[in-house]
Every structure is written in structure tokens, then in C-alpha cells.
Amino acid sequence: MNSDVKIVAGRSNPDFALKIARAMNRELSQVAIRNFSDGEIWVKYEENVRGVDLYIVQSTFAPSDNLMELLMLIDAAKRASARRITAVIPYFGYARQDRKDQPRVAITAKLVANLLVEAGANRVITMDLHTPQLQGFFDIPLDHLYASSVTVRTLQALGLTNVAVAAPDVGGVKQARAYAKMLGDADLVVVDKRRPKHNVAEVMNIIGDVDAKNVVIVDDLIDTGSTFVQCAEALKKQGANHIIGVITHPVFSGSAVQKIGASEALTKLYVTDTIPLREHNHKIEVMSVAGLFAEAINRTHDNQSISSLFDKSQG
Ligand code: R5P
């Protein structure tokens, strides 16, 4: 592609966008984003984007203003004649509402996909979607990145032996299996979880042996922390030795950070910077995946393969 590359940041995670720009030896492009006194958003590109290969970086965690801001940045870029508009969405919010699991509910992940395309996005780059099948909700190209290419290196450096990788629910088995493979064919353990109501998780069974093992719990995200902490406690009761968590998106609502800090079972939790942390504690360590996004943007611009960035265990 001959057009120039520009990167702009929405307001949800500007530090992450800056890290991407730095890794690409570029500056962020100038955009003004303000709120009217009633809260409505207003956006304006402060420089020419005509004919540009434009990458708009915005994670869409709550509030929905983050999504709205992204849609408006796409719309403004389309009206300003950007040549190609890529929505770079490190954390894709609403992904958990991906099916009609009970009568009369919305499939909001599909709605968000429709909105992005309707606003004018030509491509999407995102990471560790709640379910990879969400890619099918888009009729435009979507590049799905895996945080594991960064996080596994950190886990390997810990030099853990006698390792089992645990999926905190059946939906997480594929991701856990990929981690187990990358950690030298570690054992796979599945936690059978039930949700009696929204945001409440109950561990029913543990499938697999964790006695005296160092267990790595892998998940796409932590929201209230209920799933993760209960899973760690249940594994500890079954005789697990050290328990280490690795998750991609630290949504961390309510008292999640306190729950993690207070969990005696959990030794350490690694998270990425797709969502900025509002709170922190000594157990939580952040690993940056901005360099991976920078590489994906460079490769997209140059029409090079992105899948070759990842271990074949993924995907
Ligand atoms: C569920 O399928 C997800 O992968 C997470 O395990 C879940 O959304 C975490 O939610 P919470 O932290 O509120 O238990």
C-alpha cells in the first residue's frame, strides 16, 4: 500500500496507543476529542487524513462511550477521505454476549460488529476475543492476535517444573490447551464452572490431577474476579502447589483487585495492558502487548502475514 500510515488514539487507553506509536518510531496523529456539558462526545482530526492508511486505537470496555467514541472516530475519518480505516481494538467489549442463550436477549457482540462496519471500518485488529468464532460476525478482514506470544515467554522464564495448565471453564479449554503445549506439553486441567446468576461463579468439579503441581490458570479476562479466585481456591484444596494466573484483559470491576490480593491460593497474576489498571496490588504484574500490535500494524500496512507471528498451537 502506498499511502502514509497514521495512528490515532481514542481516550480509553492512550498510553497503550502511545506505546504502539513509539514501537513504530512514529508520533500519534492529532485528534481533538471533547465532551459537551451534557456528556455528548465531539471528535475532530486536527490534521489531514485524506488518502491515509489510518489505525484508530481504542479498547471498548465500559462505559459504552468508549465504543461510541471509536465509532465517531471511524465516521470522521471516512468523511475526511482516509484511504483505509482499521479499528485497533486491544480489548473488544461486549464479546461475551455472543449468542442467544436465553429467549429475548440481544446478541450484542454481533450488534457491535455491525456498528463498526456501518461506521466505515475496513479492517479490525484485536486480541484474545472471548470466543474466536466472533470473527464470523464481521464481513471485513479481522486479524486476531494472541497475547500468549508475549506471556508464555514470561512463564517460561519462571522455570516452573511439574506444571499443569487449568482452564477455569469449558469455554477456555482451547486457550489452555495451547498454553499447555507451549509450556512443553504440560498437563491440562478443566474446571467445571456454573453461573447461578450474572457475575456469580460456582466451581462444581475439577477434571484432572493437580496434586503437588504448579498450576497456571489461563483465561481471556477477569471481570469481578469471582471465576478466577474460586478456581484458584478449588485447585488449592485439591493439593496444587503454586498457583499462577495469566489473563489477557484486566476488566477488574467491583472489588476484583481486592479479591485477588486477598486470595491465599493465588501466588501471582500476570495481565496485559489492553485495559489500563485503575487499581493495582503486589500480586498483579502487567506485561505489555503494544509491541505485538505495532508489529501487526506494520505487517498489515506492508501486506505481510500476521499468522506467522504466532505459535502453531494457537488458532
Ligand atoms: C467467561 O467465560 C470468561 O472467560 C471469564 O472467565 C469470566 O467472564 C470472568 O468473569 P468474572 O471475573 O466476573 O468471574
Side-chain angles (χ1 to χ4, degrees), residues 190-248:
V190 182
V191 178
D192 173 21
K193 175 185 92 176
R194 190 174 78 107
R195 273 212 190 279
K197 56 182 180 179
H198 281 173
N199 290 138
V200 176
E202 270 177 23
V203 171
M204 307 303 289
N205 285 303
I206 292 174
I207 305 162
D209 176 22
V210 292
D211 192 27
K213 294 208 167 131
N214 292 309
V215 183
V216 179
I217 310 175
V218 177
D219 208 354
D220 58 328
L221 62 88
I222 290 180
D223 183 350
T224 63
S226 168
T227 301
F228 213 88
V229 168
Q230 293 219 19
C231 180
E233 308 294 339
L235 292 165
K236 196 74 186 175
K237 275 196 198 132
Q238 295 287 312
N241 190 11
H242 289 297
I243 300 180
I244 292 165
V246 186
I247 59 122
T248 306

Side-chain angles (χ1 to χ4, degrees), residues 58-212:
Q58 178 85 323
S59 277
T60 54
F61 52 88
S64 306
D65 273 7
N66 289 329
L67 172 63
M68 187 67 190
E69 198 171 282
L70 173 60
L71 296 171
M72 292 171 70
L73 286 167
I74 294 169
D75 183 70
K78 178 178 70 179
R79 293 174 196 283
S81 306
R83 174 171 164 167
R84 181 173 70 178
I85 302 165
T86 300
V88 180
I89 311 176
Y91 169 64
F92 188 97
Y94 284 102
R96 285 175 285 175
Q97 297 182 43
D98 60 352
R99 63 199 180 280
K100 210 169 155 188
D101 57 352
Q102 47 183 299
R104 301 178 295 283
V105 295
I107 305 181
T108 316
K110 172 62 178 155
L111 173 64
V112 171
N114 288 350
L115 289 169
L116 289 165
V117 174
E118 189 56 36
N122 304 115
R123 304 185 68 92
V124 171
I125 301 177
T126 188
M127 174 169 269
D128 287 343
L129 285 167
H130 178 59
T131 43
Q133 302 91 293
L134 283 190
Q135 296 174 47
F137 286 177
F138 290 88
D139 284 330
I140 54 173
L142 182 147
D143 290 302
H144 189 218
L145 311 184
Y146 298 99
S148 57
S149 59
V150 172
T151 54
V152 163
R153 283 200 296 269
T154 304
L155 293 174
Q156 284 165 339
L158 296 176
L160 295 172
T161 52
N162 198 19
V163 179
V165 177
D169 54 33
V170 176
V173 170
K174 196 159 182 261
Q175 190 187 23
R177 192 184 296 121
Y179 267 84
K181 195 129 199 280
M182 287 183 276
L183 290 172
D185 279 326
D187 290 344
L188 180 65
V189 172
V190 182
V191 178
D192 173 21
K193 175 185 92 176
R194 190 174 78 107
R195 273 212 190 279
K197 56 182 180 179
H198 281 173
N199 290 138
V200 176
E202 270 177 23
V203 171
M204 307 303 289
N205 285 303
I206 292 174
I207 305 162
D209 176 22
V210 292
D211 192 27

